[in-house]
Amino acid sequence: MFWDRFYQLCIKQNTKPNPVAKDLGISSGVLTKWKSGGIPNGETLTKIADYFDVSVDYLLGRTDDPNPPKPRLPDELQALLDKQE
């Protein structure tokens, strides 16, 4: 599932997996592992998610929505945080 999502995101951005991997500092050998069913570690998943502006859950196939809504803080807590800024 991961490889399919990763590859489709590359295609959508009109690029290929090797240039994306190079941009992220990932070796081509790691790409081969992913093609064979491997899954990146948490740090790498986060880098890839940030690169494509999608969620880690989307990359892992846990959701079909690449950009689910972010959880919202309760209004009282958000007001306190806003005062600190």
Side-chain angles (χ1 to χ4, degrees):
M1 175 61 70
F2 166 76
W3 176 256
D4 294 334
R5 292 278 167 100
F6 177 73
Y7 188 78
Q8 289 305 315
L9 288 166
C10 291
I11 299 300
K12 187 175 179 181
Q13 287 200 356
N14 207 21
T15 188
K16 295 192 179 200
N18 283 324
V20 172
K22 185 176 179 184
D23 286 348
L24 296 174
I26 298 166
S27 72
S28 60
V30 171
L31 289 179
T32 302
K33 288 180 184 178
W34 295 349
K35 283 183 190 179
S36 299
I39 299 173
N41 64 32
E43 183 180 334
T44 303
L45 278 169
T46 301
K47 283 182 186 180
I48 296 166
D50 289 346
Y51 184 90
F52 288 113
D53 193 28
V54 298
S55 70
V56 169
D57 282 341
Y58 177 76
L59 290 172
L60 294 174
R62 293 180 178 169
T63 180
D64 289 331
D65 183 356
N67 300 102
K70 294 186 173 43
R72 224 183 121 204
L73 294 173
D75 292 337
E76 299 84 17
L77 183 55
Q78 186 61 53
L80 287 172
L81 289 173
D82 290 342
K83 284 182 184 179
Q84 291 180 351
E85 294 176 355

